[in-house]
């Protein structure tokens, strides 16, 4: 008898849940609602909301809009987006995650330190990611973004360094970067690091490791655009090499189930529970054949 378990710790984080709730509430009123960028890095959830009436736009398209409502997703936005909304009389429905919002404020406050005493503001994050663009925007584009550990050597270690992190990055890699800077910072320079990684994400790492170790096969359900998903998927694969990343039930290969007794289904902070349940149902259907 094949056993299937859906990870209780997987699924939307608080920030994504709140953004989707705000979108659903507005759409329920029958109003036209625009969303700046994909509300979540999951194509199937975006399609569900599109069918409810949510219109996804990019920054160029927002410039053409006037007197409408635009939802800002959990990732946050730079100050220019709010200024554009003011100029075009756009009503902002702000679903920026509170954790991201707090981080933006901290970086902005540091950037407002007058020169020449202002330190190098460094952000450990994915270049071009929506959250990172919002963070860099707090510094008028001057923050330095480090995407991987091997880029840390490019910093100027003779100057003060203040290090922050995108909320969904790897805690282990962040600590490696901290250690490297501590070892190389000049005697007269100041280094400060701020652990701004979201604990609802960081805590999933040990939990998902335990989950992955309990099963013969792991199906990690996640949109391929999700940064958080890539981190968690890599951890699953490290613990259990028989791990497959899928976006939906149609990607499940029946051959994966050969000789398998237990299947674990898990996902990212951008993976809806209903999608993991669909994958469970698909496995049950395949197993009956």
């Amino acid at each position: 008898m094949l056993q299937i378990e859906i990870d209780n710790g997987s699924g939307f984080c608080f920030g994504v849940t709140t953004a989707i709730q705000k979108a659903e509430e507005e759409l329920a009123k029958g109003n036209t609602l625009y969303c700046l960028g994909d509300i979540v890095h999951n194509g199937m959830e975006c399609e569900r909301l599109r069918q409810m009436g949510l219109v996804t736009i990019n920054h160029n398209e927002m410039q053409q809009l006037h007197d409408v409502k635009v939802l800002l997703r959990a990732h946050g936005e730079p100050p220019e987006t709010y200024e554009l909304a003011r100029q075009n009389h756009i009503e902002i429905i702000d679903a920026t995650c509170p954790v991201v919002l707090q981080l933006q404020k901290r970086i902005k406050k540091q950037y407002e330190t007058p020169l020449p005493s202002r330190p190098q503001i460094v952000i450990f994050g994915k270049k071009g990611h929506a959250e990172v663009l919002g963070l860099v925007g707090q510094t008028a584009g001057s923050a330095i973004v480090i995407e991987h550990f091997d880029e840390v050597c490019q910093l100027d270690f003779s100057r003060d360094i203040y290090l922050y992190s995108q909320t969904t990055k790897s805690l282990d890699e962040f600590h490696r970067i901290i250690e490297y800077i501590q070892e190389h910072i000049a005697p007269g320079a100041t280094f400060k690091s701020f652990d701004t990684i979201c604990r609802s994400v960081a805590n999933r790492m040990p939990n998902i490791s335990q989950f992955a170790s309990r099963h013969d096969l792991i199906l990690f359900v996640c949109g391929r655009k999700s940064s958080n998903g890539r981190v968690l998927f890599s951890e699953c694969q490290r613990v259990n090499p028989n791990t497959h990343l899928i976006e939906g039930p149609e990607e499940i290969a029946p051959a994966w189930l050969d000789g398998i007794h237990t299947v674990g289904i898990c996902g990212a902070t951008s993976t809806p529970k209903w999608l993991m349940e669909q994958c469970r149902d698909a496995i049950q259907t395949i197993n009956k054949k």
Side-chain angles (χ1 to χ4, degrees), residues 52-72:
M52 291 178 66
L54 186 66
V55 181
T56 301
I57 57 169
N58 59 34
H59 287 84
N60 289 335
E61 290 167 331
M62 184 174 169
Q63 291 177 6
Q64 312 307 315
L65 297 176
H66 296 77
D67 304 297
V68 296
K69 291 184 178 182
V70 173
L71 179 120
L72 303 185

Side-chain angles (χ1 to χ4, degrees), residues 65-207:
L65 297 176
H66 296 77
D67 304 297
V68 296
K69 291 184 178 182
V70 173
L71 179 120
L72 303 185
R73 56 198 176 160
H75 301 90
E77 283 291 321
E80 304 88 74
T81 300
Y82 293 89
E83 177 57 25
L84 173 63
R86 189 190 65 77
Q87 292 173 1
N88 289 10
H89 300 102
I90 292 171
E91 181 182 338
I92 290 292
I93 297 175
D94 202 338
T96 303
C97 172
V99 178
V100 174
L101 199 58
Q102 189 62 30
L103 174 54
Q104 286 185 348
K105 289 176 180 175
R106 290 174 74 173
I107 289 175
K108 186 174 190 294
K109 185 177 180 182
Q110 194 57 57
Y111 174 71
E112 289 171 348
T113 303
L115 290 171
S117 53
R118 184 191 304 156
Q120 292 174 87
I121 296 175
V122 181
I123 298 167
F124 171 45
K126 182 183 177 186
K127 291 167 185 166
H129 187 279
E131 180 189 327
V132 174
L133 292 175
L135 299 177
V136 173
Q138 310 304 315
T139 70
S142 67
I144 301 165
V145 179
I146 288 179
E147 190 162 340
H148 303 292
F149 170 77
D150 55 12
E151 296 175 10
V152 69
C153 59
Q154 299 168 12
L155 297 177
D156 182 354
F157 295 102
S158 68
R159 291 181 54 212
D160 295 349
I161 297 173
Y162 279 37
L163 175 69
Y164 301 84
S165 175
Q166 178 183 342
T167 59
T168 54
K169 291 295 280 184
S170 162
L171 199 54
D172 288 343
E173 194 168 7
F174 184 62
H175 286 151
R176 285 182 68 204
I177 291 170
I178 290 171
E179 288 171 10
Y180 186 93
I181 296 173
Q182 286 173 334
E183 290 168 3
H184 291 81
I185 194 79
T190 299
F191 169 55
K192 290 186 179 181
S193 62
F194 304 90
D195 182 353
T196 51
I197 293 171
C198 175
R199 282 305 175 265
S200 96
V201 174
N203 291 343
R204 290 190 181 193
M205 193 71 82
N207 294 339

Side-chain angles (χ1 to χ4, degrees), residues 27 32-37 49-50 53-57 61 69:
L27 293 168
T32 299
L33 179 63
Y34 296 89
C35 181
L36 187 55
L49 290 166
R50 188 192 69 78
L54 186 66
V55 181
T56 301
I57 57 169
E61 290 167 331
K69 291 184 178 182

Side-chain angles (χ1 to χ4, degrees), residues 1-2 8-9 17 26 29 34-35 40 47 63 70 81 92 117 119 124 189 196 205 242 252 261 287 289:
M1 182 70 180
L2 184 66
N8 285 329
T17 299
E26 197 61 37
K29 299 173 187 174
Y34 296 89
C35 181
V40 62
E47 176 60 21
Q63 291 177 6
V70 173
T81 300
I92 290 292
S117 53
F124 171 45
T196 51
M205 193 71 82
N242 195 20
I252 300 171
H261 300 290
N287 197 45
K289 292 179 180 178

Side-chain angles (χ1 to χ4, degrees), residues 206-222:
N207 294 339
I208 214 162
S209 298
Q210 292 175 2
F211 181 81
S213 68
R214 293 205 304 266
H215 297 283
D216 300 330
L217 167 69
I218 291 294
L219 297 183
F220 190 88
V221 188
C222 175

